[in-house]
Amino acid sequence: MKTALLPQLQVFLVVARLRSFSGAARELGVSTTAVSQSVRHLEEQLSVVLLTRTTRSVSLTDAGRRLVEGAGPALGQALATLTEVSARPGETVGRVRLSVPRAAVPYVITPVVPTFRERHPRIEVEVVIEERFVDIVAEGYDAGVRLSEAIERDMVQVRLTDAFRFVVVGSPDYLARHGTPQRPEDLLRHECITFRMRTTGVIYAWELERGRRNWRVPVRGGVVTNDNPLSVSLAEQGLGLAYTLEPMVAEQLRTGRLHRVLEPYSPTVPGFFLYFPSRAQRSPALRLFVDTARELVRHAV
C-alpha cells in the first residue's frame, strides 16, 4: 500500500525543502545515508526520479516538484493537525515558517513576532531572511513577504504596509565633492553603490519614473553588495549614492546625514504584502499570524 511510503515521503519533503541531504539528516536526527536510502526507496517504489543530485547541489525533477506541490501541503496540514489535537481548548499549537527579504524585517517582522509569541506561545515562528525569489510551496514555507509586483498572481495577498517610495540618497560630503545629479542619466557619471541580485547575479539597474516615463539606469561604482543596509551605511560615509526604500533612511534624512537626490523621479511601490497559497488559509497558526500582522503593521511604513 502507498500509505507505507509516508515515512519516506516525509524525508523526501525535508530534503526538497532544504535542497540538502546532509541538512535533512541534521533536522531529522538521522544519518545522511539513512536519508539517501529513504529517498531512493521512495523513487524505486514510485518508479520515478524525484531529485537530481550532483556533488554541489540537489534540485527537483518535474515529478519531484509535482509531488512537493501536491503532497507537501497535505502532509504538513496532517502533521499540524496531530499537534493541534494535543492543545487545550482555545489554544492553538503549530508553526509558521516565513520567507522574508531583509528590507521588510524592521516593518513586518520586528513589530509582530514578540507580540505574536506572547499571545500564542505554542506557535513556533521560523523566519528565513533571503533576497532571492522563493517558491514558497516547493520549499516548505507557509507564507512569504514581498513587494506586490513580485508576487505570483495565484497567491492570496494581504497588505501589510502602505505604499512607499524608492529614493536615491547621498551624504552631504559626497554631494559637495561630486555635485548633485539633476536627471536620471546623470547617475552614469556618479559613484553608485550597486546591488547584485542573488537570483541572477546581475547588477540591479536603478528604476526611476516621472509621469508616464520610466528609466532603468545601469549604474556603476567601486562597491558592489547584496545587502541594502550596508549600501545605506556606506552612503552615509560618503562612498557614493545609494538606492533604497525611503522608510529605511527616514532617520538619516531627518537628521541630515543623507539627502535625497532626483526626488521628482522617485518611484512609488504599493508596499509589502504577506502572501500564501489559498489552501494555506486552513492553517489556524497562519490565520492568527495574519491577524496579528494586520493589527500591528498597517501604516508602519
Side-chain angles (χ1 to χ4, degrees), residues 30-47:
V30 299
S31 68
T32 303
T33 300
V35 170
S36 181
Q37 290 175 342
S38 183
V39 172
R40 187 179 302 112
H41 178 69
L42 180 63
E43 290 177 321
E44 290 172 352
Q45 293 300 307
L46 297 177
S47 299

Side-chain angles (χ1 to χ4, degrees), residues 145-160:
V145 174
R146 284 186 193 169
L147 299 175
S148 62
E149 59 264 33
I151 299 174
E152 295 87 347
R153 294 186 179 276
D154 61 346
M155 292 286 172
V156 177
Q157 298 186 35
V158 177
R159 174 179 287 279
L160 294 178

Side-chain angles (χ1 to χ4, degrees), residues 41-61:
H41 178 69
L42 180 63
E43 290 177 321
E44 290 172 352
Q45 293 300 307
L46 297 177
S47 299
V48 295
V49 176
L50 300 172
L51 296 167
T52 301
R53 311 155 174 86
T54 70
T55 56
R56 301 177 61 182
S57 67
V58 175
S59 59
L60 291 167
T61 64

Side-chain angles (χ1 to χ4, degrees), residues 2-195:
K2 297 298 185 185
T3 53
L5 298 177
L6 287 176
Q8 288 81 13
L9 174 60
Q10 186 176 1
V11 171
F12 161 72
L13 290 172
V14 176
V15 175
R17 169 164 56 84
L18 299 177
R19 296 294 197 275
S20 168
F21 281 81
S22 58
R26 285 192 297 272
E27 180 169 313
L28 295 168
V30 299
S31 68
T32 303
T33 300
V35 170
S36 181
Q37 290 175 342
S38 183
V39 172
R40 187 179 302 112
H41 178 69
L42 180 63
E43 290 177 321
E44 290 172 352
Q45 293 300 307
L46 297 177
S47 299
V48 295
V49 176
L50 300 172
L51 296 167
T52 301
R53 311 155 174 86
T54 70
T55 56
R56 301 177 61 182
S57 67
V58 175
S59 59
L60 291 167
T61 64
D62 181 63
R65 186 173 297 105
R66 285 188 284 115
L67 184 57
V68 168
E69 292 175 352
L75 184 59
Q77 184 63 37
L79 293 173
T81 302
L82 289 174
T83 303
E84 289 164 12
V85 297
S86 67
R88 294 187 294 271
E91 180 183 49
T92 301
V93 178
R95 184 184 75 157
V96 177
R97 187 168 186 261
L98 305 168
S99 172
V100 183
R102 187 174 302 280
V105 171
Y107 317 107
V108 177
I109 299 302
T110 304
V112 175
V113 171
T115 298
F116 180 77
R117 286 284 298 148
E118 182 180 358
R119 293 177 180 176
H120 309 288
R122 295 197 64 189
I123 299 178
E124 174 188 336
V125 180
E126 180 180 352
V127 181
V128 179
I129 308 301
E130 50 196 350
E131 305 304 327
R132 66 188 178 92
F133 291 136
V134 176
D135 184 336
I136 60 172
V137 174
E139 298 192 31
Y141 291 98
D142 296 292
V145 174
R146 284 186 193 169
L147 299 175
S148 62
E149 59 264 33
I151 299 174
E152 295 87 347
R153 294 186 179 276
D154 61 346
M155 292 286 172
V156 177
Q157 298 186 35
V158 177
R159 174 179 287 279
L160 294 178
T161 73
D162 289 332
F164 54 80
R165 299 192 301 177
F166 276 86
V167 292
V168 180
V169 294
S171 71
D173 175 65
Y174 174 87
L175 297 175
R177 287 184 288 115
H178 298 278
T180 301
Q182 301 298 318
R183 299 174 301 172
E185 49 266 35
D186 293 344
L187 292 171
L188 298 174
R189 296 187 291 273
H190 277 265
E191 182 75 11
C192 298
I193 302 167
T194 56
F195 187 91

Side-chain angles (χ1 to χ4, degrees), residues 247-267:
M248 181 173 284
V249 290
E251 178 63 18
Q252 293 92 326
L253 293 171
R254 187 185 66 79
T255 59
R257 301 199 304 274
L258 288 173
H259 294 318
R260 300 178 191 85
V261 301
L262 297 171
E263 188 169 6
Y265 299 90
S266 297

